Structure formats: structure tokens, C-alpha cells
């Protein structure tokens, strides 16, 4: 596809650079063994900030069907993410007094990692998941799941068939949507008159403050501040009445929305405070974004210098994890098998493949204990505590953890 030169929300021309990470393959396009002697497609990974609405975004190079039709990410392989989902279900069920008469709908429901906890409470659920291979895992658990992309067409069809959502949720999907107005407009259509929307997504302010540039990849089309996301939802008649700052993915937001005319939910003080914090940080003007590119380049140089010095000293280096963010980081840094021998991942859906671009092979975690590397570069740094606990055995031979973000940190 040709690149888009206009903002996917307000339509303004995109002329202001936010972060240029060079050329990179699709972050979840893992390479099979029989593809190792074939070429890969690389695309510009260049984020822009809209000078009108301040939405940070990438141009669209591939269709959603190409990116998400067969997806390698299964949510249930992270214990901490499952616990996050369980806690969310408990919290929202209590806050909004959810019961058997309420319809729960999750967009991008993945393998049923979250809806399973609503099913345990005997609440009616519906998952919407475009990746057929992932949706099949949810269906095998008995979770009703539509294998479709969400937008106004599907929302209208469901509403015409008598289905509306009393709780409409989506975790880490809003950033993945190329047609933002169609998606949010669909949410407004599907939401019942008294219903509540919750969405979770990485917070742009935290991305900037903590050098989380590796969370920029082609599957993430947009990067939201609370200022911008409030404007997007308001444009479609949805008022964001509350927001929580949560620790997932290095710092995320959970927003709460309702129809604009629904007076039952009063806008909270913390929602107003976060808008003020973002304005103080300069997210409502272009100069607030100006320092980020050099910050990114400096982080890259520091990581490459550390890895090369370690390699030159005779140390062996392996990686842990095969997340999309790791593929952005390694491709931007130009680090491949000449520096990192292999990586490991708990998901059997990634084992036996190689990372896109760098072609670093992916094994099961046991490979670390066979090879005994001196350093283990942790790519899903947002799961720091979980990984240190799972892999604590590397200390038996003096192995050390390396966390690349927000700055290179070595942990014994």
C-alpha cells in the first residue's frame, strides 16, 4: 500500500516527525525454517505527530488482514497478564454491578484470556477476534467468538440483530486500528444506552518519558495521550468520564466512556488532573515532542556499545522473549546473530521460528540452561519481575540479566 500523508483522525497533513526508526519488517512476521533463504519485506518505521490534533501515528503499509489474519501473540502465556485480566473482571463487575442480565463484549478478545473470568461468573460474553488461529483457542474454551474485524458495519449488524454491549472493552487494540474513526464510531453504535466502554493502551506520555520507542511497530498505527483519545471519542459522541494509570506495558491508560448524554457517570477529578499533567508536559503543542528523537538515538547507541563490548570481551549473549517490541529494538539497533546467539520464548507458537529481520532463532526457555550464556537480554522488559523469577537459575553460573529500556541496566 502507498503511505498515507494525512492524519487518520482529523485528516490534517502529516509533516512533523516524531521518531524515525529506519526500515523494519512487520514485527510479528516470524520466519519459518523453510523461509530462511528467502527475502523479507521491510517498511519505513517512521512515526509522525499531527500538528492539529497531536495524534502520534504511523503510515499504513499493509492491510489489517495481512498483519492480523494469522497472529502469533497468545495472551494466556503470561501469568501476570492473566492476573491483570482477573483483577479487571473483579473490579468492573463490582463497580458497575454487572450480572447475568448484562452483555459483555470484548473487541480483540484474543484466546479468551479475559472473557473466561466473566464466564466463571456466569455473565453472557461475546468475543470479537480477527485472527482465526487465536480465536480458535477461545472457541475451544467455550467462549463465543466472532472471527471478524470490528467497525461500524459489524456493530450495526449486531445491533440490528438485538445485541448491544453493557460493558464494551478492548485491551491493547485501539493502537492497532488503521481506520480509527470507523472503529470508535462502531463502539458508539454497539454500546447500549446505559453502557460503559473501557479501553487499555500504552500511554504516550510514559512512552516518551521512559524511552519506550520499541513499542513503535507497524501493527501499532496510533499512540495516544489522554488529550487526543478524549477528542477522538468525543467526536463520536462518547464522553470519557474516568481514567486510570496502570503499570502494564511500561505504563498504560484504562479509559472509561459512556454516551455523551448519559449523566449517570460524573467526570472524575483524576481525569481532569491527567489532562492538566499532559498539558504541562507539552503534549498539546509541537515543541513538547521535539526532544524525543535524540533521546531514542542515544538509547540505541548505548545498547549497541554495551553489546559489542561484551562480545569483544568474550562473553556469550542470548535473549529472552520474542515480543514485537523486541523486533523493533533489534532491527533498529542492527543486532543479529553476530551478537545474540538465540532467544527463547514460552509460547510454543513462536518456538522453531526466527525473529523477523535479524533471523535470531527462537527456542524453548530450557535452551538457556543448556547454553549457559553470560548475559540474557530481556526483550519483554515490561515483564521484568516475572522473568527474573522464572529464569533465576541463570545465577548458578554467574549469568546476568540485561534490560534495554528505559536505559541499559544489568541485574545480577
Amino acid at each position: 500500500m502507498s503511505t498515507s500523508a494525512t492524519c487518520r483522525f482529523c485528516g490534517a497533513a502529516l509533516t512533523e516527525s516524531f521518531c524515525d526508526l529506519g526500515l523494519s519488517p512487520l514485527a510479528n512476521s516470524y520466519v519459518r525454517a523453510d523461509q530462511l533463504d528467502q527475502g523479507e519485506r521491510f517498511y519505513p518505521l517512521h512515526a509522525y505527530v499531527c500538528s492539529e490534533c497531536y495524534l502520534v501515528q504511523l503510515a499504513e503499509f499493509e492491510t489489517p488482514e495481512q498483519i492480523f489474519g494469522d497472529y502469533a501473540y497468545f495472551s494466556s502465556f503470561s501469568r501476570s497478564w492473566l492476573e491483570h485480566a482477573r483483577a479487571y473482571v473483579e473490579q468492573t463487575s463490582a463497580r458497575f454491578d454487572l450480572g447475568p442480565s448484562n452483555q459483555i463484549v470484548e473487541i480483540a478478545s484474543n484466546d479468551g484470556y479475559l472473557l473466561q473470568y466473566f464466564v466463571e461468573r456466569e455473565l453472557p460474553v461475546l468475543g470479537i477476534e480477527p485472527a482465526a488461529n487465536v480465536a480458535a483457542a477461545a472457541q475451544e474454551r467455550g467462549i463465543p467468538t466472532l472471527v471478524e474485524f470490528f467497525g461500524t458495519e459489524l456493530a450495526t449488524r449486531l445491533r440490528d440483530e438485538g445485541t448491544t454491549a453493557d460493558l464494551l472493552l478492548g485491551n491493547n487494540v485501539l493502537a492497532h486500528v488503521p481506520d480509527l474513526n470507523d472503529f470508535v464510531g462502531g463502539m458508539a453504535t454497539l454500546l447500549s444506552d446505559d453502557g460503559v466502554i473501557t479501553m487499555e493502551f500504552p500511554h504516550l506520555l510514559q512512552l516518551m518519558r521512559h524511552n519506550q520507542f520499541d513499542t513503535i511497530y507497524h501493527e501499532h498505527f496510533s499512540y495516544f495521550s489522554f488529550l487526543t483519545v478524549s477528542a477522538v471519542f468525543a467526536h463520536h459522541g462518547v464522553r470519557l468520564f474516568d481514567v486510570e494509570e496502570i503499570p502494564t506495558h511500561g505504563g498504560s491508560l484504562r479509559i472509561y466512556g459512556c454516551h455523551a448524554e448519559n449523566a449517570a457517570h460524573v467526570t472524575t477529578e483524576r481525569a481532569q488532573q491527567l489532562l492538566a499533567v499532559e498539558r504541562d508536559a507539552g503534549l498539546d503543542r509541537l515543541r513538547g515532542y521535539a526532544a524525543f528523537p535524540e533521546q531514542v538515538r542515544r538509547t540505541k547507541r548505548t545498547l549497541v556499545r554495551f553489546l559489542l563490548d561484551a562480545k569483544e570481551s568474550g562473553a556469550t549473549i542470548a535473549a529472552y522473549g520474542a515480543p514485537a517490541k523486541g523486533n523493533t529494538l533489534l532491527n533498529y539497533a542492527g543486532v543479529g546473530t553476530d551478537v545474540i546467539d538465540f532467544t527463547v520464548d514460552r509460547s510454543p507458537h513462536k518456538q522453531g521460528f526466527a525473529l523477523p529481520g535479524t533471523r535470531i532463532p527462537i527456542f524453548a526457555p530450557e535452551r538457556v540452561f543448556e547454553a549457559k550464556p553470560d548475559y540474557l537480554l530481556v526483550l519483554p522488559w515490561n515483564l521484568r519481575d516475572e522473568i527474573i523469577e522464572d529464569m533465576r537459575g541463570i545465577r548458578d553460573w554467574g549469568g546476568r540479566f540485561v534490560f534495554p529500556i528505559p536505559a541499559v541496566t544489568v541485574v545480577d
Side-chain angles (χ1 to χ4, degrees), residues 1-24:
M1 293 184 64
S2 61
T3 62
S4 170
T6 59
C7 175
R8 61 174 39 90
F9 169 49
C10 73
L14 294 177
T15 58
E16 301 293 332
S17 178
F18 174 73
C19 181
D20 187 352
L21 299 174
L23 295 173
S24 186

Side-chain angles (χ1 to χ4, degrees), residues 1 26 60 62-71 130-131 148-149 178 221:
M1 293 184 64
L26 297 180
E60 181 183 351
E62 285 287 0
T63 66
E65 289 79 9
Q66 172 69 22
I67 295 174
F68 300 112
D70 187 69
Y71 207 45
E148 297 191 47
F149 283 94
F221 294 106

Side-chain angles (χ1 to χ4, degrees), residues 7-322:
C7 175
R8 61 174 39 90
F9 169 49
C10 73
L14 294 177
T15 58
E16 301 293 332
S17 178
F18 174 73
C19 181
D20 187 352
L21 299 174
L23 295 173
S24 186
L26 297 180
N28 282 297
S29 58
Y30 298 92
V31 181
R32 300 193 310 267
D34 62 352
Q35 296 174 318
L36 290 174
D37 60 351
Q38 300 175 17
E40 290 180 75
R41 298 188 70 178
F42 283 65
Y43 306 88
L45 189 54
H46 190 172
Y48 293 84
V49 56
C50 176
S51 58
E52 297 296 325
C53 69
Y54 306 106
L55 176 64
V56 173
Q57 58 201 282
L58 297 174
E60 181 183 351
F61 292 95
E62 285 287 0
T63 66
E65 289 79 9
Q66 172 69 22
I67 295 174
F68 300 112
D70 187 69
Y71 207 45
Y73 179 72
F74 287 70
S75 296
S76 292
F77 286 100
S78 169
R79 293 193 312 276
S80 59
W81 187 244
L82 288 176
E83 182 53 39
H84 174 76
R86 184 191 296 273
Y88 166 86
V89 170
E90 292 177 356
Q91 176 183 333
T92 52
S93 296
R95 179 173 180 179
F96 301 113
D97 193 26
L98 299 175
S101 64
N102 297 120
Q103 177 68 56
I104 315 299
V105 179
E106 182 180 12
I107 305 170
S109 51
N110 203 265
D111 58 7
Y113 74 102
L114 186 147
L115 289 180
Q116 63 181 328
Y117 300 120
F118 280 120
V119 170
E120 288 178 0
R121 292 170 173 262
E122 299 184 346
L123 272 65
V125 304
L126 175 65
I128 301 172
E129 171 54 55
N133 62 318
V134 180
Q139 292 166 338
E140 289 172 5
R141 294 179 175 180
I143 297 171
T145 305
L146 296 178
V147 185
E148 297 191 47
F149 283 94
F150 182 79
T152 53
E153 181 179 348
L154 176 57
T156 301
R157 188 174 84 233
L158 288 172
R159 193 174 187 100
D160 289 345
E161 293 171 354
T163 297
T164 57
D166 299 307
L167 176 64
L168 179 57
L169 70 123
N171 289 343
N172 301 306
V173 59
L174 194 61
H176 292 75
V177 177
D179 193 339
L180 187 59
N181 287 310
D182 178 68
F183 185 89
V184 178
M187 296 186 75
T189 298
L190 188 58
L191 187 66
S192 69
D193 292 345
D194 299 322
V196 171
I197 289 171
T198 76
M199 302 290 286
E200 295 181 16
F201 47 84
H203 189 191
L204 176 64
L205 182 62
Q206 299 305 321
L207 183 157
M208 295 173 66
R209 283 179 170 174
H210 300 291
N211 279 341
Q212 297 166 357
F213 63 87
D214 58 340
T215 59
I216 298 172
Y217 44 91
H218 296 105
E219 291 88 336
H220 279 180
F221 294 106
S222 303
Y223 304 82
F224 296 99
S225 65
F226 190 50
L227 284 162
T228 297
V229 80
S230 296
V232 172
F233 276 85
H235 180 74
H236 294 279
V238 175
R239 175 174 56 87
L240 300 188
F241 63 86
D242 196 9
V243 62
E244 292 179 71
E245 295 180 82
I246 56 179
T248 55
H249 298 286
S252 295
L253 296 182
R254 177 187 291 156
I255 58 173
Y256 295 81
C258 62
H259 288 295
E261 62 273 16
N262 183 352
H265 302 288
V266 177
T267 302
T268 64
E269 183 178 349
R270 64 181 172 184
Q272 297 168 342
Q273 288 176 340
L274 184 55
L275 291 173
V277 167
E278 291 188 343
R279 291 189 183 100
D280 287 344
L283 298 190
D284 61 346
R285 51 196 182 276
L286 285 176
R287 66 176 179 271
Y289 301 84
F292 191 64
E294 179 52 31
Q295 183 175 306
V296 170
R297 290 190 287 265
R298 187 167 56 249
T299 303
K300 168 185 174 177
R301 292 192 296 266
T302 301
L303 175 63
V304 171
R305 190 178 303 116
F306 171 84
L307 293 174
L308 292 180
D309 287 348
K311 200 71 176 177
E312 288 297 320
S313 71
T316 53
I317 306 170
Y320 184 97

Side-chain angles (χ1 to χ4, degrees), residues 214 217 321-331 355 358 379-381:
D214 58 340
Y217 44 91
K325 62 168 61 74
N327 293 327
T328 289
L329 179 72
L330 296 175
N331 279 287
L355 298 182
T358 62
L379 299 176
W381 42 261

